[in-house]
């Protein structure tokens, strides 16, 4: 059994027995009993004993072993005879027979108890003295702390100690880990709830960079320089500073009243390039007709740095000339900060339009940033000279100034590439991450059977859920910037809607839209195929008073922001292929720019029906609705009561009838009606799988079903024209019914 005992048990057996301590009654007893302590296992040791064993190599250090034996006593219950004996001993102690009193023993035990609890620093130093290779180094430190100087010190020893001092970091780390072990356990327990909440959150690939530096480390104009004075004189007549000045002209409130009452001054203008223009202004304006040719960008108050980079950014469109004719006239209207609804977009001019509005947006960002930095310099100079220059209100609630809404990720790549060329900076943060997430990893082979517009719109990554913040500085461009530190926000309607949330949601955030001064919608007709309600929801949460300050300087916020009038100075640019009632509603309700607004559209004098070569009978039915609100119900009722019975009575038209339905809601109503009345039909919508579409095609082609319900969204995203599916349909199609036509 002796061999099985551990080193701790052996060391415990060598200890001397301890004298019993003070009784419960408080009286000392001279009777002492010695007993042999049983071996103690390591698991039975207390926390303090384990610490002493690790620090000193033994449970009771030899330096104060004897004092511990004298002062540490055990408590036990005594009888009356023992109490009498204790009184006798107390009497003898009073006569001087005992040298030490009970009070002195208590004080010594308290001092000893305090001494036995070393500090964290003492634990660290004791461990290093025993385990570290540089024992002499720590001994020298102890002597210096005690005020003792070594008479003999070798310089070589000091050099060796300094060179090998780095090797002791591992020992220090080990001791620190032991000291902080308990605190880390408590932190882990406290973070259990947070981890559970994080598991429920969806991982967002478009999340902002967590290591973003919010500090501005750039200076465009030096304090007190001649360049600053020249720039101040030049910007006095700049239309940007005049439009976004804190003190608006007295007619500003009058223009707002005209806008709210919809008492616009209307002008119809015909331009050879922009075609038909319907201009609405708060007062008669003849300048709106003037669109001179722009020879230099500096002549139209474009920043010099932006003007230098423009030819390189626009070289794919045109090389030797500054602008195309479309870019020239369109940029002239945008540069005057008027709202524009352009409905003549096509495949050929898409790149021209995109480069034009990117130039205008980036020029706006550059001027806004320059103005803030210039006023920062003025405030710093005034503070240094102890002068009062008054208020400098040049900011909004938040930093983002431009919002660009795009339908798919493939268009974002083109916009960001143009911004990179236009910025002229060489440092692009998170550029690789951007191309990895917004480009396809594998090159896709284009389907030549699809039409040209389909190949252009759906090439590359067509994901419709994304958002991206871009921050500009003097020497860098940062992608995936936090929205509250970004200058431009590029997002899809769905990506922004999920971040804004709906009323009643726990997590809602739309304060970054409070200071938007320019909104751009490109490929707007694609939004109709997604969800137009997202666009309406975004505009409803724009230019509102934020719920939090987000670190803004209240003294520098423009007064018209505080008054809630920012929407009357916001510029909205909409580019679409055609005009729809949704675009007209956006033009009438959300475009409230006091500088005016322009609707550019094409007038179709000759229709395309006359170009139909085969002799096909075409019938157009006009349905009178009492109001726009009741239009859908009236059309559905007419289809059920008039059109559908006519198709069923005709034996020829009853079979092989394709019903083209633009709205998914109408599709659901008709499908349910066919299902309840047991019609022979096959549904095909954008939510149908490939197998369901194949089955519907086969059933319709082989005359096993009479009706085929076909949605507009399915046609838009799949574009079956020219492929085998639609060839089969057309070959057997005897009747084509459009449920709704605009």
């Amino acid at each position: 059994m002796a061999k099985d005992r551990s080193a701790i048990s052996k060391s415990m057996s060598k200890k001397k027995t301890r004298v019993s301590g003070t009784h419960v009654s408080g009286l000392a007893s001279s009777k002492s009993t010695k007993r042999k302590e049983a071996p103690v296992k390591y698991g039975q040791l207390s926390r303090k004993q384990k610490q002493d064993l690790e620090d000193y190599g033994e449970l009771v250090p030899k330096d104060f072993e004897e004092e511990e034996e004298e002062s540490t006593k055990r408590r036990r219950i005594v009888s009356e005879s023992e109490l009498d004996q204790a009184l006798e001993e107390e009497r003898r102690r009073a006569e001087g027979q005992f040298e030490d009193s009970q009070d002195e023993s208590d004080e010594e035990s308290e001092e000893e108890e305090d001494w036995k609890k070393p500090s964290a620093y003492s634990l660290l130093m004791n461990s290093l003295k025993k385990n570290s290779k540089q024992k002499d180094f720590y001994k020298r430190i102890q002597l210096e702390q005690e005020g003792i100087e070594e008479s003999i010190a070798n310089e070589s020893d000091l050099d060796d100690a300094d060179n090998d001092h780095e090797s002791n970091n591992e020992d220090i780390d080990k001791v620190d880990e032991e000291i902080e072990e308990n605190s880390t356990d408590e932190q882990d327990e406290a973070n259990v709830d947070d981890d559970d909440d994080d598991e429920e959150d969806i991982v967002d690939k478009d999340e902002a960079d967590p290591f973003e530096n919010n500090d501005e480390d750039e200076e465009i104009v030096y304090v007190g320089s001649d360049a600053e004075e020249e720039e101040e004189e030049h910007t006095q007549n700049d239309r940007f500073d005049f439009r976004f000045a804190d003190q608006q002209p007295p007619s500003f409130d009058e223009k707002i009243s005209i806008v709210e009452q919809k008492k616009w001054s209307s002008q119809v203008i015909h331009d050879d390039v922009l075609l038909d223009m319907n201009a609405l202004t708060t007062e008669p304006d003849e300048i709106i007709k003037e669109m001179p040719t722009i020879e230099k960008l500096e002549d139209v108050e474009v920043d010099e740095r932006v003007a230098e980079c423009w030819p390189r950014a626009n070289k794919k469109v045109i090389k030797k000339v500054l602008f195309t004719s479309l870019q020239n006239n369109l940029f002239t209207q945008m540069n005057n900060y008027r709202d524009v609804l352009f409905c003549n977009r096509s495949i050929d001019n898409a790149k021209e339009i995109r480069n034009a509005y990117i130039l205008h947006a980036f020029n706006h960002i550059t001027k806004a940033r320059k103005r803030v930095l210039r006023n920062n310099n003025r405030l710093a100079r005034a503070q240094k000279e102890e002068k009062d220059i008054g208020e400098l209100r040049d900011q909004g609630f938040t930093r983002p100034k431009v919002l660009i809404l795009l339908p798919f990720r493939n268009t974002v790549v083109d916009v960001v590439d143009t911004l990179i060329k236009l910025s002229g900076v060489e440092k692009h943060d998170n550029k690789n991450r951007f191309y990895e997430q917004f480009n396809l990893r594998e090159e896709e082979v284009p389907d030549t059977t699809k039409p040209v517009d389909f190949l252009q719109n759906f090439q590359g990554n067509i994901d419709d859920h994304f958002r991206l913040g871009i921050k500009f500085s003097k020497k860098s461009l940062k992608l995936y910037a936090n929205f509250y530190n970004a200058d431009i926000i590029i997002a899809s309607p769905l990506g922004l809607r999920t971040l804004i949330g709906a009323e009643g949601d726990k997590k809602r955030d739309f304060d970054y839209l409070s200071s938007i001064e320019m909104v751009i919608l490109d490929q707007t007709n694609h939004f109709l195929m997604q969800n137009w309600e997202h666009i309406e929801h975004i505009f409803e949460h724009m230019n509102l008073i934020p719920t939090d300050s987000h670190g803004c300087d209240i003294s520098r916020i423009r007064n018209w922001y505080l008054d809630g009038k920012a929407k009357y100075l916001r510029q909205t640019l909409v580019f679409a292929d055609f005009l729809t009632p949704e675009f007209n509603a956006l033009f009438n309700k959300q475009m409230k720019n006091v500088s005016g607004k322009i609707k550019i559209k094409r007038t179709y004098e000759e229709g395309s029906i006359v170009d139909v070569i085969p002799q096909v009978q075409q019938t157009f039915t006009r349905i009178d609705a009492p109001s726009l609100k009741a239009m859908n119900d009236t059309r559905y009722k007419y289809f059920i009561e008039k059109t559908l019975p006519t198709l069923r009575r005709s034996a020829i038209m009853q079979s092989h009838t394709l019903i083209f339905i633009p709205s998914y809601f109408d599709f659901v109503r008709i499908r349910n009606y066919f299902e309840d009345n047991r019609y022979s039909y096959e549904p095909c919508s954008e939510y149908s799988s490939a197998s369901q579409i194949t089955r519907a095609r086969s059933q319709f082609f082989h005359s096993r079903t009479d009706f085929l319900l076909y949605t507009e969204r399915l046609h838009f995203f799949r574009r079956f024209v020219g492929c085998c599916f639609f060839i089969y349909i057309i070959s057997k199609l005897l009747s084509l019914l459009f449920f709704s036509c605009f």
Side-chain angles (χ1 to χ4, degrees):
M1 294 296 292
K3 294 181 180 180
D4 298 336
R5 292 186 299 173
S6 61
I8 300 175
S9 302
K10 293 179 181 179
S11 62
M12 291 294 296
S13 62
K14 296 180 181 180
K15 304 293 180 181
K16 295 181 180 180
T17 58
R18 300 183 179 180
V19 182
S20 60
T22 308
H23 299 300
V24 178
S25 61
L27 300 177
S29 175
S30 60
K31 184 178 180 180
S32 62
T33 58
K34 294 183 179 181
R35 66 177 183 177
K36 187 176 181 180
E37 297 180 355
V40 181
K41 296 183 180 180
Y42 184 80
Q44 298 177 348
L45 295 177
S46 63
R47 195 171 188 179
K48 179 178 177 302
Q49 289 175 334
K50 291 180 181 179
Q51 190 67 31
D52 292 341
L53 184 62
E54 292 177 0
D55 295 340
Y56 307 107
E58 53 186 354
L59 292 178
V60 182
K62 295 180 180 180
D63 298 337
F64 51 91
E65 181 178 0
E66 296 179 357
E67 297 179 2
E68 183 181 7
E69 291 178 356
E70 294 178 359
S71 60
T72 305
K73 298 179 180 180
R74 300 180 181 273
R75 293 184 177 181
R76 62 189 182 87
I77 301 175
V78 297
S79 61
E80 295 183 357
S81 59
E82 291 177 344
L83 289 175
D84 296 338
Q85 187 177 358
L87 293 174
E88 183 66 20
E89 290 176 358
E90 185 69 21
R91 184 181 62 79
R92 293 179 182 179
R93 185 181 293 107
E95 294 176 357
Q97 294 182 6
F98 293 94
E99 296 179 356
D100 299 333
S101 63
Q102 183 69 19
D103 297 336
E104 293 177 355
S105 63
D106 293 340
E107 293 177 358
E108 291 176 358
S109 62
E110 292 178 359
E111 294 177 358
E112 180 183 344
E113 184 68 19
D114 295 338
W115 186 86
K116 287 192 296 182
K117 296 180 180 179
S119 61
Y121 176 77
S122 301
L123 294 175
L124 175 63
M125 296 303 298
N126 291 332
S127 176
L128 293 176
K129 289 176 184 178
K130 290 184 175 293
N131 301 328
S132 177
K133 299 178 181 179
Q134 303 297 330
K135 298 181 180 180
D136 297 335
F137 176 76
Y138 293 104
K139 183 178 180 181
R140 191 179 300 111
I141 294 177
Q142 183 179 4
L143 294 176
E144 291 177 357
Q145 292 177 351
E146 295 176 358
I148 303 174
E149 297 181 357
E150 288 184 330
S151 59
I152 301 175
N154 297 327
E155 296 180 357
S156 61
D157 295 339
L158 292 174
D159 295 337
D160 295 339
D162 294 335
N163 294 333
D164 298 338
H165 179 64
E166 296 180 356
S167 63
N168 299 326
N169 293 335
E170 296 181 358
D171 298 333
I172 297 175
D173 294 338
K174 291 179 180 179
V175 178
D176 291 339
E177 291 177 358
E178 294 176 359
I179 295 174
E180 298 177 357
E181 182 178 3
N182 297 330
S183 62
T184 55
D185 294 339
E186 295 177 357
Q187 293 178 358
D188 293 339
E189 294 177 357
N191 294 333
V192 170
D193 296 336
D194 296 338
D195 294 338
D196 295 338
D197 295 338
D198 294 338
E199 290 177 357
E200 298 177 357
D201 296 338
I202 301 175
V203 178
D204 188 3
K205 294 182 180 180
D206 299 331
E207 186 179 1
D209 189 0
F211 304 103
E212 180 178 355
N213 186 10
N214 300 334
D215 298 335
E216 286 287 350
D217 55 351
E218 59 176 356
E219 292 293 338
I220 297 180
V221 182
Y222 293 99
V223 178
S225 62
D226 296 335
E228 182 184 7
E229 296 177 358
E230 294 177 359
E231 189 172 359
E232 289 180 0
E233 295 178 358
H234 176 71
T235 56
Q236 288 179 356
N237 298 325
D238 193 343
R239 68 189 68 185
F240 170 82
D241 290 333
F242 177 77
R243 174 180 173 83
F244 295 100
D246 177 54
Q247 298 296 332
Q248 291 292 321
S251 60
F252 180 61
D253 293 334
E254 297 178 1
K255 293 180 179 179
I256 293 177
S257 178
I258 294 174
V259 170
E260 291 296 335
Q261 297 176 10
K262 298 182 180 181
K263 296 181 179 180
W264 298 93
S265 298
S266 178
Q267 300 182 57
V268 178
I269 306 170
H270 180 78
D271 183 72
D272 295 336
V273 179
L274 299 180
L275 302 179
D276 297 333
M277 299 171 53
N278 184 14
L280 300 178
T281 55
T282 54
E283 56 186 6
D285 187 5
E286 297 295 333
I287 303 177
I288 197 171
K289 300 180 181 180
E290 301 177 2
M291 288 173 282
T293 303
I294 301 174
E295 299 293 339
K296 295 181 180 180
L297 290 177
E298 291 80 358
D299 297 340
V300 289
E301 301 170 355
V302 176
D303 185 75
E304 295 180 359
R305 183 180 176 184
V306 179
E308 293 176 358
C309 301
W310 169 248
R312 184 166 64 93
N314 197 43
K315 67 179 181 180
K316 290 185 178 181
V317 176
I318 192 169
K319 294 183 178 180
K320 297 182 180 180
V321 187
L322 187 65
F323 284 134
T324 63
S325 57
L326 176 61
Q327 287 179 332
N328 184 89
N329 294 2
L330 199 57
F331 183 79
T332 300
Q333 300 296 338
M334 291 189 296
N335 198 38
N336 288 320
Y337 286 98
R338 300 187 182 98
D339 291 346
V340 177
L341 173 59
F342 186 82
C343 300
N344 295 333
R345 182 186 177 277
S346 63
I347 300 175
D348 300 329
N349 61 17
K351 183 63 177 177
E352 300 179 52
I353 297 172
R354 187 170 298 135
N355 288 357
Y357 72 68
I358 290 176
L359 172 64
H360 177 54
F362 186 69
N363 182 55
H364 178 82
I365 291 297
T366 304
K367 287 186 176 182
R369 191 177 73 249
K370 269 191 172 184
R371 185 177 187 179
V372 172
L373 294 176
R374 184 171 64 248
N375 289 338
N376 290 344
N377 294 332
R378 293 178 60 187
L379 291 173
R381 181 174 57 186
Q383 185 177 4
K384 184 177 181 180
E385 297 176 357
E386 297 182 355
K387 293 183 179 179
D388 185 11
I389 59 175
E391 294 182 345
L392 295 177
R393 296 185 177 271
D394 54 1
Q395 300 178 13
F397 296 108
T398 54
R399 178 167 177 169
K401 294 293 182 291
V402 177
L403 173 64
I404 302 177
L405 296 177
L406 301 173
F408 305 119
R409 287 180 182 257
N410 53 11
T411 313
V412 182
V413 177
D414 189 18
V415 172
V416 172
D417 287 340
T418 307
L419 284 172
I420 291 175
K421 296 176 183 178
L422 201 57
S423 63
V425 296
E426 298 180 356
K427 184 180 179 181
H428 311 129
D429 297 340
N430 300 324
K431 184 177 179 180
N432 294 333
R433 175 188 173 188
F434 168 76
Y435 285 123
E436 181 181 356
Q437 295 184 2
F438 282 79
N439 278 329
L440 290 178
R441 297 182 180 180
E442 298 180 358
E443 296 183 0
E444 59 180 0
V445 180
D447 187 359
T448 56
T449 61
K450 305 290 185 180
V452 180
D453 63 325
F454 180 87
L455 296 177
Q456 185 183 32
N457 294 330
F458 293 95
Q459 63 180 352
N461 193 338
I462 58 172
D463 180 28
D464 61 348
H465 187 280
F466 60 87
R467 47 183 178 265
L468 177 70
I470 304 178
K471 175 183 177 181
F472 296 95
S473 62
K474 186 178 181 180
K475 298 181 180 180
S476 65
L477 180 148
K478 183 179 181 59
L479 301 171
Y480 293 97
N482 186 283
F483 275 10
Y484 292 98
N485 298 324
D487 297 302
I488 297 178
I489 296 176
I490 303 177
S492 65
L494 178 61
L496 210 58
R497 173 65 184 269
T498 55
L499 191 61
I500 294 175
E503 187 175 356
D505 294 346
K506 294 182 179 179
K507 294 183 179 180
R508 299 193 65 190
D509 189 11
F510 50 86
D511 289 348
Y512 50 84
L513 299 176
S514 60
S515 302
I516 294 295
E517 298 173 353
M518 186 183 301
V519 186
I520 302 174
L521 284 74
D522 195 3
Q523 297 175 292
T524 314
N525 53 295
H526 292 1
F527 298 148
L528 297 174
M529 297 295 104
Q530 295 175 349
N531 195 338
W532 185 254
E533 292 183 358
H534 296 339
I535 300 295
E536 297 175 348
H537 191 75
I538 292 171
F539 273 92
E540 290 175 358
H541 292 80
M542 200 176 300
N543 297 123
L544 301 178
I545 304 298
T547 57
D548 193 6
S549 61
H550 299 285
C552 66
D553 187 357
I554 303 297
S555 62
R556 298 186 65 175
I557 298 178
R558 300 184 181 98
N559 287 316
W560 43 268
Y561 269 114
L562 300 174
D563 296 338
K565 300 178 181 179
K567 60 182 178 181
Y568 299 106
L569 293 174
R570 183 189 69 218
Q571 184 183 23
T572 305
L573 306 176
V574 181
F575 303 96
D577 297 354
F578 44 81
L579 184 63
T580 65
E582 289 83 1
F583 302 161
N584 277 327
L586 183 67
F587 182 81
N588 296 328
K589 294 181 180 180
Q590 300 297 340
M591 295 186 181
K592 299 182 178 181
N593 193 344
V594 294
S595 297
K597 53 186 179 181
I598 302 174
K599 182 191 299 184
I600 303 173
K601 60 180 181 179
R602 181 191 301 271
T603 301
Y604 298 94
E605 297 179 356
E606 296 181 358
S608 58
I609 298 179
V610 295
D611 298 330
V612 178
I613 298 176
Q615 296 296 326
V616 179
Q617 181 182 359
Q618 302 180 36
T619 304
F620 293 88
T621 304
R622 179 182 179 89
I623 304 172
D624 295 330
S627 63
L628 292 176
K629 185 178 181 180
M631 180 179 59
N632 294 330
D633 295 335
T634 304
R635 181 172 55 244
Y636 173 75
K637 183 179 180 180
Y638 184 88
F639 174 79
I640 297 301
E641 296 178 354
K642 303 291 184 181
T643 306
L644 198 57
T646 304
L647 294 176
R648 298 198 67 179
R649 284 195 298 266
S650 176
I652 298 177
M653 299 178 65
Q654 182 178 359
S655 60
H656 295 89
T657 302
L658 173 65
I659 303 177
F660 186 87
I661 308 172
S663 173
Y664 182 76
F665 300 103
D666 292 333
F667 169 80
V668 173
R669 296 178 70 178
I670 296 175
R671 184 194 61 186
N672 294 341
Y673 180 83
F674 278 23
E675 186 70 25
D676 295 339
N677 293 274
R678 298 182 179 180
Y679 276 74
S680 176
Y681 79 101
E682 287 293 335
C684 284
S685 67
E686 59 271 22
Y687 301 106
S688 301
S689 62
S691 60
Q692 292 175 345
I693 294 175
T694 303
R695 179 181 179 277
R697 180 198 67 181
S698 177
Q699 294 286 77
F700 188 77
F701 178 76
H702 293 289
S703 301
R704 299 192 187 108
T705 184
D706 297 333
F707 296 96
L708 180 65
L709 305 183
Y710 188 68
T711 61
E712 184 181 8
R713 285 186 179 180
L714 176 62
H715 180 69
F716 176 78
F717 287 105
R718 303 294 292 271
R719 207 64 63 90
F720 288 114
V721 175
C723 63
C724 298
F725 171 76
F726 221 80
I727 288 177
Y728 288 151
I729 290 181
I730 296 298
S731 62
K732 289 290 184 179
L733 184 63
L734 298 179
S735 177
L736 176 61
L737 174 65
F738 291 92
F739 183 75
S740 175
C741 298
F742 294 101

